[in-house]
Amino acid sequence: MRSAAADLARPGAAWAVPGLVFFCLFALVPMVGVVYLSLTSWDGLSDPQFTGLQNWSRFLGDGQMWQDTVVTAVLLVGNIVVQAPISILLGVWSAGKQRNRAVLSAIFFLPLLFSTAATAVMWRQLLDPNFGIPAKLSGLIGDTNLLGSQSGAVACLVLVTSWQFIPFHTLLYQGAARTVPETLYQAAAIDGAGRVRQFFAITLPQLRNTIVTSTIFMVVGGLTAFDIVLLLTDGGPGTDTSILPFAMYQTGFQTYDYGYASVIASFLLLLATGASFVMVKLSGYDKMTSTLEGM
Amino acid sequence: MKNITASRKRACITLAVSAALVVTAAGCGSSSSTAKSSTGSASLWMLQDPTNSVSQSAVDAYNTTGPGKVSMNVIATDGYKDKLRTAMGSSAMPGIFFNWGGGSLSDYVKAGKLVTLDSDLISHFLPSALQAGTVDGKLVGVPSRGTQPVFLFYNKKVFTDAGVTPPKTWTDLVNLVPVFKAKGITPFAVAGTATDSWTELMWIEYLVDRLAGPDLFSKIAAGDWNLWSDPAILKTAQMVKQLVDSGAFGSNFASVSYGAGGTSTLLDKGKAAMVLMGSWEYATQQAADATFAKSGLGYVPFPSVEGGKGNPADVVGNPTNYLSVTTSAPSQTAEAFLKTTYSDSYVAGLVAKGEVPVTTNAKAALAKAPDPTYAMFQYNLVANAPSFTQSWDQALGLTLGTPLLTVIQKLFNGQDTPEQFVSGVLAIKH
């Protein structure tokens, strides 16, 4: 005989079946497939030929892959450094009660509604050296050759990605900032804390869990996002902005070297899993402690 | 119920038998190739473009007489190659399909997916346009569209204002650079973003052809990759570097895109004097600024290069697009349908759409072209060309073409020296 309370506490394992089936079908099976393909040579036409670790040893000695990994990391860090502060500030601001808040927030959120393809095509036109923004600001930008240098192209990628995704993260922070109890601010005001002090002593610590969530989104999203690179710079100039997901696409779907592309995919899989695992551990996110504990 | 089980059983037996046949006969993946009657229905895959209506009338006309039927599927440009590749690896491959010839076909020829076509077809087309339809000495593609040679376009007004004429030789070309630079005009528009580096490739293709003749690249395309170490390749890279360093392409070309809003607008607005481009540039200009296309746009063949071994009448570009037949198509139907590609009505239809067909009977039809002078210029360019080298990225296929474009881009950007360019290209095929 089991008590009703025990039944309530733990739902049966059967409830996990639909989720598990989907996970196996659309995540595990392809992952195993990719690992298998990484051990073969396959052009997509004939049958895959088993070649053992040949692709992997080529990968380890491939200077371009090392560069791609570095560029991936630079873009990732650049995006976090630019997006996190701006979206925290915007989010906290838009959680307030100002009169123009609703209208301005709506305008800030607009880029979120555009598809990446539309965003990239639009920005390519805007970044045209002869007819776009650089031509009008040639005093500031110099030779207007923004997409023609590695630093310029990376900066453009960070700019456009930030423009597109800051609204999303702002939305996260806005929601989180609204849950911070008003009483905390009232108490701080009585103790004589100004707005800046209140932000650092109350708002930021209260947003801790959201910061972790938003950063994980940025890291995992950054590791898999290649559409903006494909459409804005196509990996150029040369291979200067080729990131791992882009290299995977190009190797697989442009040069039909599915074996080697699978190596890159497997490496990305390891990288993304590892990165989110480390972040969750480091931040103590897995313990799920509430920021409202003791109140 | 019983019927279903019986038919299932039959299907299983058929499958088993045909599988056994395949294994013993060819070891190839498609079972449809073994048991095909010579007439029947063939699927035709076409790339989506303005000439689809011409193809559709050809199909409709064909289907009233036969033998067999052809059904046309129009497939959007983006992803056409991916879709084709996937289908060719499966049992759902098309019977007849549109393609770019050259390297885009060689994988399929090697995999035994394509049928060698009747050599009687040859006499109906310009010889230089058939080169890219021939792989390993086998005719596997017949021309189905107009030709798209590459040549120099120029802005007539900019030239008149500067009091100069379009270049006939490489020396002329080099001497024009300072003239336009002094006036603040970019001598040559080129699109140097990674997506558009094929516009840079055109310069390399022409220079190699003018310096060494067409044989060098055709041997490379046929598999002798070490020939990239030929002195003519290094010389080409050095000439490109000199041109870049002299400011012939301006300073910001690495951020410039191809087409309207990019190179085409630069030429139209007189911000650039010339652009090396395929014949489709005319249509791009016409869509953006019809008056300019009609009266302001000039065109000349690529100049000769002094001391070069190549014939100055050679052209490079896209000879044409092709139709190829797979082993899954009923052979008689496919063969009979291919004959429609040089019928008078099909040729006239293409001409009306602004295309310049590469059939031997096209010359008469060109008088009815939207711009007969321009059409005749292209037709004569191709008809008089001893050799028409297919764009290298098409000829090599994507596997080799994609990394080649990257190396070329690095040369133009100054990221690689001419020597590094040569070693970079050699390293593509290890």
Side-chain angles (χ1 to χ4, degrees), chain A residues 15-235:
Chain A
W15 291 100
V17 168
L20 274 179
V21 165
F22 267 88
F23 182 72
C24 286
L25 219 57
F26 296 110
L28 271 188
V29 171
M31 279 184 211
V32 172
V34 155
V35 173
Y36 167 71
L37 280 181
S38 77
L39 303 174
T40 66
S41 161
W42 189 40
D43 63 359
L45 274 183
S46 39
D47 295 331
Q49 301 289 318
F50 191 79
T51 53
L53 290 173
Q54 200 177 310
N55 287 327
W56 283 92
S57 65
R58 180 178 147 208
F59 179 76
L60 293 177
D62 191 340
Q64 182 61 46
M65 285 303 135
W66 173 239
Q67 192 207 308
D68 290 357
T69 313
V70 172
V71 176
T72 312
V74 168
L75 268 182
L76 209 64
V77 173
N79 273 325
I80 294 174
V81 168
V82 172
Q83 290 182 38
I86 298 181
S87 38
I88 290 177
L89 287 175
L90 272 180
V92 170
W93 173 82
S94 62
K97 297 189 177 72
Q98 305 85 333
R99 286 185 55 174
N100 50 5
R101 184 196 53 82
V103 175
L104 284 177
S105 300
I107 293 172
F108 290 156
F109 291 148
L110 270 183
L112 190 60
L113 304 177
F114 300 149
S115 74
T116 309
T119 305
V121 170
M122 180 184 80
W123 276 98
R124 255 188 98 139
Q125 294 291 319
L126 287 175
L127 291 170
D128 186 275
N130 299 300
F131 307 104
I133 298 170
K136 304 281 180 271
L137 298 177
S138 56
L140 279 175
I141 305 179
D143 66 356
T144 68
N145 196 6
L146 275 182
L147 294 173
S149 70
Q150 184 172 33
S151 49
V154 168
C156 288
L157 283 171
V158 171
L159 170 86
V160 175
T161 316
S162 301
W163 181 83
Q164 191 188 6
F165 286 111
I166 282 178
F168 171 71
H169 296 284
T170 302
L171 210 57
L172 289 181
Y173 286 117
Q174 184 197 31
R178 287 232 168 113
T179 65
V180 180
E182 195 63 23
T183 48
L184 287 179
Y185 293 106
Q186 289 160 353
I190 291 170
D191 290 344
R195 294 190 67 169
V196 177
R197 183 72 197 272
Q198 286 182 13
F199 175 78
F200 282 106
I202 301 170
T203 316
L204 263 194
Q206 288 288 316
L207 291 179
R208 198 189 71 206
N209 284 343
T210 314
I211 293 175
V212 177
T213 311
S214 147
T215 315
I216 290 183
F217 270 128
M218 286 183 198
V219 170
V220 177
L223 282 175
T224 52
F226 91 108
D227 37 8
I228 192 75
V229 173
L230 177 78
L231 294 165
L232 194 68
T233 68
D234 204 15

Side-chain angles (χ1 to χ4, degrees), chain A residues 43-47 58 64 67 124-125 127-131 135 143-150 230-240 249-250 253-258, chain B residues 81-82 85-86 88-89 107-108 111 113 186 192-196 251-258 260-263 265-266 269 271 398-400 402-403 406 409-410 413 415 430:
Chain A
D43 63 359
L45 274 183
S46 39
D47 295 331
R58 180 178 147 208
Q64 182 61 46
Q67 192 207 308
R124 255 188 98 139
Q125 294 291 319
L127 291 170
D128 186 275
N130 299 300
F131 307 104
D143 66 356
T144 68
N145 196 6
L146 275 182
L147 294 173
S149 70
Q150 184 172 33
L230 177 78
L231 294 165
L232 194 68
T233 68
D234 204 15
T239 49
D240 281 357
Y249 164 80
Q250 219 175 28
F253 295 98
Q254 298 259 279
T255 60
Y256 301 118
D257 188 352
Y258 289 107
Chain B
K81 285 183 185 171
D82 291 343
R85 180 98 181 178
T86 315
M88 293 293 270
D107 278 358
Y108 301 139
K113 308 273 185 196
T186 308
T193 59
T195 325
D196 302 320
S251 61
N252 59 15
F253 65 89
S255 304
V256 174
S257 301
Y258 154 75
T263 49
T265 313
L266 284 172
K269 302 284 177 221
K271 288 191 173 194
L398 289 169
T399 312
L400 297 168
T402 308
T406 305
Q409 208 198 342
K410 287 183 175 176
N413 288 347
Q415 294 168 291
H430 13 221

